[in-house]
C-alpha cells in the first residue's frame, strides 16, 4: 500500500496519479492557448470548452487535484464557452488577488483577466489589464504555441508524486510569451475596431447606409470579445439597416444581438422598440421604450417615443399601420409622404388595371383606397401628429401616467385611425410642404439621439 503523504491532495497510488494527469491533459487539449480564433474555430472551441468544464467538474468532485490547479483552467474554459461572463469575471478577479499575494502577476493572469472583463462589458478595465499583460511581452516573439496536451508522455510523474507537481510541469511546458503577445495584438485590434466604428459613424451621418453597415461589420470582426463595443456596433448597424428597404429583419437581428451582448444598454432596447413600432407590434414597442428609459432615464429624445408608443399600444390591434401602407418610416420628413403617395397612387390606380382580372382589379382598388386613406392622415401635419400621439395628447406631457405604471387602457375603437372599411377614391390633394419633421422640431429624427 502506498504511504500517506499527509495531504488530501496527495495521490495514494500511481493509478490515481495517472488517471488524474490524463484528465488534466485532456482538459489542456480542449483549451486554446489564446482566443485569437476564426468564426469556425470559435464554434469548435466553444464545444471543447464545455467538454473541459465537464472534466474539471469531475476532478473537483473526486478531489484528486487541488483547486489552485483547476481554477485557472476553469477560467479559460468559461471564457472559451462565452456562456457565463459574470462567473468568469469573478474567477479572474480571485485568481488575480491570489497571484498578487504570492508575488508577481504573470502575463497569462492579466490576459485572461482582460478577456473576462471584455466579455462582461467592462471595456476600460479590460484595456488596463491587457496593457499589464502586453508589458510583459519579450522583445522578440517566440514560435507560436500549438494547441493540445502540454505534457509529454515521458513527463508522467513517478509513483506517489502529487498532481500539483505534475500540473506545475504542464504549466511550465505551456508557458511563454503567448498571452503577452496575444494581449498586444488584442489591444491593437481594439484600436482598429474603434477607428472602424468612427468611420462607420461618419458614413451613417452622411446617410451612406450600406457602407456604414459594412464598416460596422468589419469592426465587429476586429474584436469579437468586446461585448460593450459589440452592443454599440450592433445597435448602430440596426439603425442603418432600418433605413434600407427590405432589411427590417436584418435590423431586428442586430438589435437582438446588441441586447444579448449588453442587456443594460438602453439604446439597444430603443432600437428594437422602433422596429417593433415599424412592424405594428405596438405593445412590444412601448415596453421596449419603457425598458430603455428604466435603464437610462435621461436618454435624449426617449420621451417623444414613449408618447408615440403609449398611444399606439392603447389603440392596440384596432390601430392601422398607416406608415407601412405607404412604405415609410414613422420618423420620415413630411416631404417624403407627398413623394411616396404620388408614386403609389400612380402605380395602383384602378385605371391602370382596366384589362386585368376581377381579382387583380379588386386588389388594386383596395390598395388605392388604403394609400389614399393613409395620405389623408399623414399628409397633413396636424392629423399626422394626432395619429402619432393621440387627439387629446399634449406632445410635451410627462411620460408617466397610469398606463405607463403598468395598467393598460382599453383600445379606442371609435378612433378615426382604428381599422374601418376604407372610403372612396381620393385625388392628389395638396398638403403643407413643411420639412424637418411633422412637429416643427427635431425630435422626430432620432439619428443624433440614439447613436453609439
Amino acid at each position: 500500500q502506498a504511504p500517506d503523504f499527509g495531504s488530501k491532495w496527495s495521490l495514494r497510488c500511481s493509478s490515481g496519479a495517472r488517471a488524474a494527469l490524463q484528465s488534466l491533459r485532456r482538459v489542456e487539449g480542449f483549451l486554446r492557448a489564446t482566443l485569437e480564433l476564426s468564426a469556425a474555430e470559435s464554434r469548435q472551441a466553444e464545444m471543447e470548452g464545455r467538454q473541459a468544464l465537464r472534466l474539471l467538474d469531475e476532478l473537483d468532485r473526486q478531489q484528486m487535484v487541488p483547486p489552485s490547479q483547476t481554477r485557472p483552467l476553469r477560467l479559460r474554459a468559461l471564457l472559451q464557452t462565452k456562456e457565463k461572463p459574470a462567473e468568469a469575471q469573478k474567477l479572474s478577479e480571485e485568481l488575480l488577488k491570489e497571484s498578487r499575494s504570492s508575488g508577481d502577476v504573470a502575463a497569462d493572469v492579466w490576459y485572461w483577466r482582460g478577456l473576462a472583463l471584455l466579455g462582461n462589458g467592462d471595456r476600460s478595465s479590460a484595456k488596463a489589464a491587457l496593457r499589464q499583460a502586453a508589458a510583459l511581452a519579450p522583445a522578440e516573439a517566440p514560435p507560436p504555441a500549438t494547441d493540445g496536451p502540454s505534457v509529454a508522455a515521458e513527463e508522467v510523474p513517478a509513483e506517489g508524486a502529487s498532481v500539483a507537481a505534475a500540473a506545475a510541469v504542464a504549466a511550465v511546458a505551456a508557458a511563454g510569451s503567448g498571452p503577452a503577445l496575444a494581449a498586444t495584438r488584442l489591444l491593437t485590434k481594439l484600436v482598429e475596431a474603434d477607428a472602424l466604428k468612427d468611420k462607420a459613424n461618419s458614413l451613417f451621418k452622411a446617410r451612406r447606409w450600406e457602407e456604414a453597415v459594412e464598416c460596422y461589420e468589419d469592426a465587429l470582426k476586429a474584436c469579437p470579445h468586446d461585448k460593450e463595443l459589440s452592443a454599440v456596433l450592433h445597435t448602430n448597424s440596426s439603425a442603418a439597416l432600418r433605413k434600407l428597404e427590405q432589411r427590417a429583419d436584418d435590423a431586428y437581428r442586430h438589435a437582438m444581438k446588441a441586447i444579448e451582448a449588453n442587456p443594460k444598454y438602453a439604446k439597444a432596447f430603443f432600437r428594437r422598440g422602433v422596429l417593433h413600432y415599424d412592424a405594428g407590434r405596438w405593445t412590444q414597442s412601448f415596453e421596449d421604450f419603457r425598458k430603455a428609459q428604466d435603464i437610462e432615464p435621461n436618454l435624449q429624445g426617449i420621451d417623444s417615443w414613449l408618447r408615440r408608443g403609449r398611444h399606439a399600444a392603447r389603440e392596440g390591434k384596432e390601430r392601422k399601420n398607416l406608415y407601412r401602407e405607404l412604405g415609410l418610416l414613422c420618423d420620415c420628413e413630411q416631404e417624403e409622404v407627398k413623394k411616396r403617395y404620388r408614386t403609389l397612387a400612380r402605380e395602383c390606380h384602378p385605371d391602370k388595371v382596366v384589362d386585368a382580372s376581377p381579382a387583380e382589379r379588386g386588389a388594386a382598388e383596395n390598395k388605392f383606397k388604403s394609400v389614399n386613406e393613409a395620405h389623408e392622415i399623414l399628409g397633413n401635419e396636424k392629423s399626422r401628429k394626432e395619429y402619432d400621439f393621440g387627439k387629446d395628447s399634449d406632445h410635451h406631457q410627462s411620460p408617466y401616467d397610469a398606463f405607463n405604471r403598468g395598467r393598460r387602457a382599453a383600445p379606442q375603437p371609435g378612433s378615426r385611425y382604428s381599422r374601418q372599411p376604407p372610403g372612396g377614391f381620393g385625388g392628389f390633394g395638396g398638403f403643407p410642404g413643411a420639412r424637418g419633421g411633422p412637429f416643427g422640431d427635431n425630435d422626430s429624427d432620432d439619428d443624433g439621439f440614439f447613436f453609439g
Side-chain angles (χ1 to χ4, degrees):
Q1 179 173 342
D4 189 341
F5 288 95
S7 170
K8 68 177 182 177
W9 303 118
S10 296
L11 296 178
R12 311 287 192 216
C13 61
S14 60
S15 61
R18 291 179 182 278
L21 182 56
Q22 286 174 358
S23 294
L24 282 176
R25 290 173 63 187
R26 288 185 64 195
V27 169
E28 284 282 354
F30 287 136
L31 299 180
R32 301 297 194 269
T34 67
L35 292 185
E36 299 175 292
L37 308 171
S38 65
E41 290 172 336
S42 182
R43 288 190 292 270
Q44 179 66 23
E46 288 177 23
M47 293 188 293
E48 293 178 349
R50 297 186 191 100
Q51 291 176 291
L53 285 174
R54 286 193 289 269
L55 285 171
L56 290 168
D57 289 341
E58 183 62 26
L59 285 171
D60 287 345
R61 281 193 296 269
Q62 295 173 352
Q63 294 190 342
M64 298 288 287
V65 184
S68 60
Q69 300 300 323
T70 59
R71 291 168 74 231
L73 299 176
R74 182 175 294 278
L75 172 59
R76 291 168 59 187
L78 286 170
L79 292 172
Q80 204 162 295
T81 62
K82 305 177 184 179
E83 292 175 349
K84 298 179 180 179
E87 181 179 343
Q89 179 174 341
K90 181 180 179 181
L91 182 53
S92 72
E93 183 177 357
E94 294 172 355
L95 293 172
L96 178 60
K97 289 180 179 179
E98 293 173 5
S99 296
R100 281 174 166 165
S101 64
S102 61
D104 294 335
V105 182
D108 62 326
V109 176
W110 286 117
Y111 173 70
W112 297 111
R113 170 67 171 162
L115 284 178
L117 290 165
L118 273 182
N120 211 41
D122 190 347
R123 199 164 190 256
S124 59
S125 298
K127 285 183 175 180
L130 291 170
R131 291 190 190 99
Q132 292 281 359
L136 300 174
E140 295 184 6
T146 58
D147 295 330
S150 57
V151 181
E154 62 269 22
E155 294 172 328
V156 175
E159 190 172 309
S162 71
V163 175
V169 174
V172 171
S177 56
L181 293 174
T184 302
R185 290 189 290 269
L186 183 51
L187 284 168
T188 301
K189 287 188 175 182
L190 287 172
V191 173
E192 177 187 351
D194 286 335
L196 286 168
K197 175 202 160 191
D198 291 342
K199 179 181 177 182
N201 286 355
S202 297
L203 292 168
F204 187 105
K205 292 173 183 176
R207 299 181 178 270
R208 294 160 63 179
W209 316 121
E210 292 183 355
E211 294 175 75
V213 171
E214 291 178 0
C215 210
Y216 287 132
E217 292 283 1
D218 290 340
L220 284 165
K221 293 175 184 176
C223 197
H225 305 293
D226 191 340
K227 294 298 183 181
E228 182 179 336
L229 181 62
S230 293
V232 173
L233 294 172
H234 281 301
T235 299
N236 290 358
S237 293
S238 177
L241 286 164
R242 177 176 176 259
K243 303 291 188 178
L244 300 172
E245 293 185 6
Q246 308 299 323
R247 300 298 299 275
D249 290 343
D250 292 331
Y252 186 80
R253 176 174 57 84
H254 276 281
M256 292 296 292
K257 285 189 174 183
I259 293 172
E260 180 183 353
N262 186 356
K264 297 181 180 180
Y265 189 45
K267 295 179 183 179
F269 285 96
F270 163 75
R271 277 294 159 205
R272 190 175 70 174
V274 170
L275 294 168
H276 279 314
Y277 190 94
D278 290 339
R281 298 186 290 266
W282 314 119
T283 301
Q284 295 96 313
S285 173
F286 181 51
E287 289 173 351
D288 274 348
F289 293 150
R290 292 175 63 192
K291 179 68 174 179
Q293 190 187 52
D294 288 344
I295 296 173
E296 191 174 337
N298 297 323
L299 186 63
Q300 189 178 16
I302 190 62
D303 286 354
S304 174
W305 286 94
L306 271 169
R307 287 188 289 272
R308 180 184 276 124
R310 183 191 307 107
H311 173 62
R314 279 171 169 165
E315 292 196 330
K317 295 181 180 180
E318 297 299 316
R319 177 182 174 85
K320 290 183 288 187
N321 195 339
L322 300 183
Y323 289 103
R324 199 169 192 176
E325 291 290 348
L326 296 180
L328 294 172
L329 301 177
C330 63
D331 48 353
C332 66
E333 293 186 351
Q334 198 69 31
E335 185 71 19
E336 293 181 64
V337 177
K338 176 181 179 180
K339 291 179 180 179
R340 184 59 61 94
Y341 168 67
R342 288 180 171 175
T343 299
L344 292 176
R346 284 193 295 267
E347 291 176 354
C348 63
H349 197 283
D351 291 345
K352 295 275 189 179
V353 290
V354 174
D355 299 327
S357 66
E360 291 174 331
R361 182 173 175 79
E365 290 176 353
N366 289 334
K367 178 65 176 176
F368 188 72
K369 290 177 182 178
S370 298
V371 167
N372 272 277
E373 183 182 9
H375 175 257
E376 179 184 353
I377 295 168
L378 301 182
N380 178 274
E381 285 190 60
K382 182 178 179 180
S383 58
R384 180 181 176 182
K385 177 180 177 181
E386 183 180 332
Y387 172 77
D388 284 344
F389 298 101
K391 184 175 182 180
D392 301 322
S393 173
D394 180 1
H395 180 51
H396 298 287
Q397 74 181 49
S398 169
Y400 299 100
D401 61 4
F403 184 85
N404 198 21
R405 291 191 296 269
R407 296 196 296 273
R408 296 181 178 177
Q412 303 172 1
S415 168
R416 64 181 292 197
Y417 311 121
S418 61
R419 297 184 187 276
Q420 299 173 348
F425 299 133
F428 294 87
F431 66 96
R435 297 183 61 86
F439 315 119
D441 52 29
N442 291 324
D443 62 0
S444 63
D445 183 359
D446 58 275
D447 292 350
F449 292 152
F450 303 97
F451 200 62

